[in-house]
Each structure stands twice: as C-alpha cells, then as structure tokens.
Amino acid sequence: DIQMTQSPSSVSASVGDRVTITCRASQGISDWLAWYQQKPGKAPKLLIYGASNLQSGVPSRFSGRGSGTDFTLTISSLQPEDFATYYCQQANSFPYTFGQGTKLEMK
Amino acid sequence: EVQLVESGGGLVQPGRSLRLSCTASGFTFGDSVMSWVRQAPGKGLEWVGFIRSNAYGGTTEYAASVKGRFSISRDDSKSIAYLQMNSLKTEDTAVYYCSRDHNTPMESTYYGMDVWGQGTTVTVSS
C-alpha cells in the first residue's frame, strides 16, 4: 500500500498568514492526488484535484503543487473559515490512502 | 441540486450485519463511480471501498480491513449505492460517508471525490 505522510500534524496560525502543508507519498503517484478540508461534524470538501487544480467554487487563496512523491497545499492568506483539518489522498493505486490529517488552529 | 444522502446507520452488536444506503440526486448516477469512506471517532479518514459504473463492469475494490466482510453494490434504476457490512467488529464503529468519485481509465488525472453525503453513524457494541 502507498503510505501518505502529512506534515505538520498540527499548525497554529493567524488570520492573514501564509500556511503550507506537505504530503509525501511512499512511492510515486504522478499527480493522482487530492486535497480535502474537513470541519468538525461535517463531511470532507474537495479543494484540489490532480495535485494542482482548484475545484470549482474553492477560493483562489488555496493552491496545490507537486508530482511524484512530494506535494504541498498552500493557503496564501488565512481567513477565519479556513481553520479546519486538511487531508491529502492518493488514487494512483488501490487501496486509496489518506494522509493522517493536518489540523490548522487559530493562534 | 447535486446531493448524496446516506441512511441505515445505527447501533449493532459485534458479528451482526448492517446495510447502508446512499441515495443520489441531481446527477447521472449510472455514469458515476462511487466510494465509501469512514471516520472513526476522533480519527482521520479511511477509504473503505469503491464501485465502478456499469460501463466499466460495476466492479469493486476494497480496503484490506474490510475485504471479505463488506461489499458494495449499486442499483442505477434507483440511484442508490449500498454498503453491506457483515461480521461487524467494534473497530468498524465510525461515521460512514459515500462520495461521488472520479477514477476511470478514461481520466488523465484524478478528479477527486467531489460530492459527499452528510454521513451516517455506525456503532458496533454489545
């Protein structure tokens, strides 16, 4: 199975900050990666597909980069509604696997 | 409105069975790949399984943790995907989500799980 490792596991930041979350795959997955945002008690929401493509309706302050094994999700200027947990997910091969999550907390 | 609604969750004893349903509306369900994802209390997301559209044989894939116990099926005439869970264990306790997925041989990249239900809670306990 492909292991997905996110870092950091948690991060404290302030409104207006730039935040980057990293996701590393245990083997190459090309660009078969998605990023999701999840708020407590809610279903995940797709932010980024194909490693770097912004899902329709998602604010442009979110961006994704990477290919192969190393990927990043960047929020360019944090807004209050961005405090949530973020997950990466690979779909290059079965079983799909998710990263362990990164909790973004308000400083 | 594009929507998925899960149902069928509840409290069940270890070793028993439960069937979850995922009812779709607002899109062409028969053309869609569907995934199930679960989340144990206080934990991260875990992919459970996947069913291709009938155009791709309606075949399924499963996580090792549920293979042989869980099965996914679909009824395109009713726009419903099912998750049949047998021989339930306490570690299957979780919120179960269905999602519309995008993973076919025709895709050049992965378009992600773009529509999710609200989730249904399954508690396995004696």
Side-chain angles (χ1 to χ4, degrees):
Chain A
D1 298 1
I2 297 175
Q3 306 303 314
M4 305 300 291
T5 304
Q6 284 182 235
S7 61
S9 296
S10 65
V11 57
S12 295
S14 301
V15 172
D17 284 354
R18 179 184 181 91
V19 171
T20 295
I21 298 167
T22 297
C23 179
R24 175 163 289 176
S26 60
Q27 62 190 75
I29 60 169
S30 185
D31 62 356
W32 283 66
L33 181 110
W35 288 97
Y36 301 89
Q37 175 194 67
Q38 188 181 33
K39 296 181 178 179
K42 300 294 186 182
K45 174 187 174 182
L46 177 65
L47 299 176
I48 301 287
Y49 65 89
S52 61
N53 300 283
L54 194 67
Q55 174 69 1
S56 175
V58 174
S60 59
R61 62 181 179 273
F62 290 90
S63 63
R65 295 188 65 179
S67 183
T69 60
D70 293 316
F71 302 87
T72 59
L73 173 71
T74 297
I75 310 171
S76 60
S77 178
L78 273 173
Q79 298 302 300
E81 60 268 30
D82 299 337
F83 293 96
T85 301
Y86 293 84
Y87 295 92
C88 60
Q89 175 239 332
Q90 70 82 20
N92 182 73
S93 64
F94 292 106
Y96 287 176
T97 43
F98 288 90
Q100 80 278 15
T102 295
K103 188 173 184 179
L104 179 51
E105 298 174 302
M106 191 176 298
K107 187 181 289 183
Chain B
E1 180 190 5
V2 173
Q3 194 173 10
L4 295 171
V5 177
E6 300 95 339
S7 58
L11 174 63
V12 61
Q13 293 179 327
R16 303 298 292 267
S17 298
L18 201 62
R19 188 179 79 163
L20 306 183
S21 299
C22 170
T23 303
S25 58
F27 63 95
T28 306
F29 178 80
D31 292 344
S32 300
V33 174
M34 301 299 294
S35 270
W36 287 90
V37 175
R38 68 184 179 183
Q39 187 167 36
K43 302 296 184 182
L45 301 172
E46 180 188 14
W47 176 76
V48 171
F50 166 106
I51 185 165
R52 297 175 178 86
S53 67
N54 285 330
Y56 293 96
T59 52
T60 53
E61 306 284 347
Y62 298 98
S65 58
V66 306
K67 198 168 186 179
R69 299 188 300 124
F70 289 14
S71 64
I72 299 172
S73 60
R74 62 191 301 152
D75 184 337
D76 290 351
S77 69
K78 296 180 179 178
S79 297
I80 300 177
Y82 299 100
L83 178 63
Q84 177 68 43
M85 304 185 294
N86 299 328
S87 304
L88 281 160
K89 305 176 181 180
T90 55
E91 52 264 41
D92 295 320
T93 293
V95 175
Y96 284 74
Y97 298 99
C98 66
S99 63
R100 184 176 72 175
D101 201 345
H102 295 274
N103 187 346
T104 72
M106 298 301 292
E107 309 285 11
S108 59
T109 188
Y110 180 54
Y111 288 86
M113 297 183 232
D114 65 341
V115 182
W116 293 71
Q118 83 287 355
T120 188
T121 300
V122 173
T123 303
V124 184
S125 175
S126 54

